[in-house]
Amino acid sequence: LKIESRAFGTDHPRCAETMHQLGLCYLKQGRHDKALFQLQRSLEIKMKPGCQNRGQTPLDIAKTEEYIAVIYQEQGHLSKALEMFKSVVETKKKAYNDDDMAYDMAATYNNMAVVYQKLGNEQRAREMGTKAHNIFLKTLGPDHPFTKQTSR
């Protein structure tokens, strides 16, 4: 990261990707605060105007947002997690023409269902779970474990 920062500047997409990868390493180690710091720095760079013209796509942004949401969820910051998951959905909609066909959109809806359930909003949890199930069914078929898991 130090070398990339010196070579390209701290706001370069290569630095953002390295920060993203560092965040994932910290996450795997259970060091959530450090992971969150790196992922938030990465997201800040990815969201800057012109960054998408330098190799960043809406899906690059969405994957960073999604990991941030997961960390919030694991830390028990459910409202923050839900807001970030909503942002992930909006970001992914920019990348996909038809969100019913986007397999990873279903994973986000499923994560939202879990958060809504933990917040005690069973109706929204069911709605998100149904969305996830329908997309998994359409993209993966009825016998896939993800489809079966979301049918409960």
Side-chain angles (χ1 to χ4, degrees):
L1 181 58
K2 287 180 184 179
I3 293 169
E4 287 177 344
S5 295
R6 279 190 222 124
F8 303 111
T10 57
D11 288 348
H12 194 275
R14 287 183 74 170
C15 293
E17 187 55 31
T18 300
M19 290 172 197
H20 177 93
Q21 294 303 322
L22 279 171
L24 296 185
C25 289
Y26 287 131
L27 181 60
K28 287 179 184 176
Q29 294 172 349
R31 299 164 75 184
H32 291 98
D33 291 337
K34 287 187 175 235
L36 188 59
F37 177 76
Q38 291 297 333
L39 290 166
Q40 287 173 330
R41 285 179 61 205
S42 173
L43 184 60
E44 286 173 19
I45 295 168
K46 291 177 181 182
M47 298 294 287
K48 287 188 176 192
C51 195
Q52 291 183 23
N53 297 333
R54 294 188 288 165
Q56 297 298 307
T57 68
L59 289 178
D60 292 320
I61 293 168
K63 73 180 179 181
T64 302
E65 289 176 324
E66 194 131 30
Y67 281 114
I68 291 170
V70 167
I71 292 170
Y72 284 149
Q73 183 179 354
E74 289 180 4
Q75 290 180 328
H77 303 297
L78 300 178
S79 295
K80 285 182 175 182
L82 188 58
E83 289 308 309
M84 189 59 73
F85 280 129
K86 288 177 182 178
S87 180
V88 171
V89 167
E90 292 307 310
T91 303
K92 285 181 179 179
K93 283 181 179 180
K94 294 175 187 173
Y96 298 119
N97 293 330
D98 181 5
D99 73 350
D100 289 340
M101 295 305 294
Y103 152 80
D104 71 321
M105 186 71 96
T108 303
Y109 288 140
N110 193 54
N111 285 333
M112 290 175 73
V114 171
V115 173
Y116 276 122
Q117 187 173 33
K118 288 180 178 179
L119 288 170
N121 190 335
E122 294 296 325
Q123 180 180 347
R124 289 294 289 158
R126 265 191 306 281
E127 289 171 14
M128 293 295 112
T130 299
K131 274 186 167 188
H133 176 74
N134 290 339
I135 295 170
F136 283 142
L137 185 62
K138 192 173 186 177
T139 58
L140 302 175
D143 296 325
H144 194 280
F146 291 165
T147 307
K148 289 180 179 181
Q149 178 187 358
T150 57
S151 68
R152 297 182 212 150

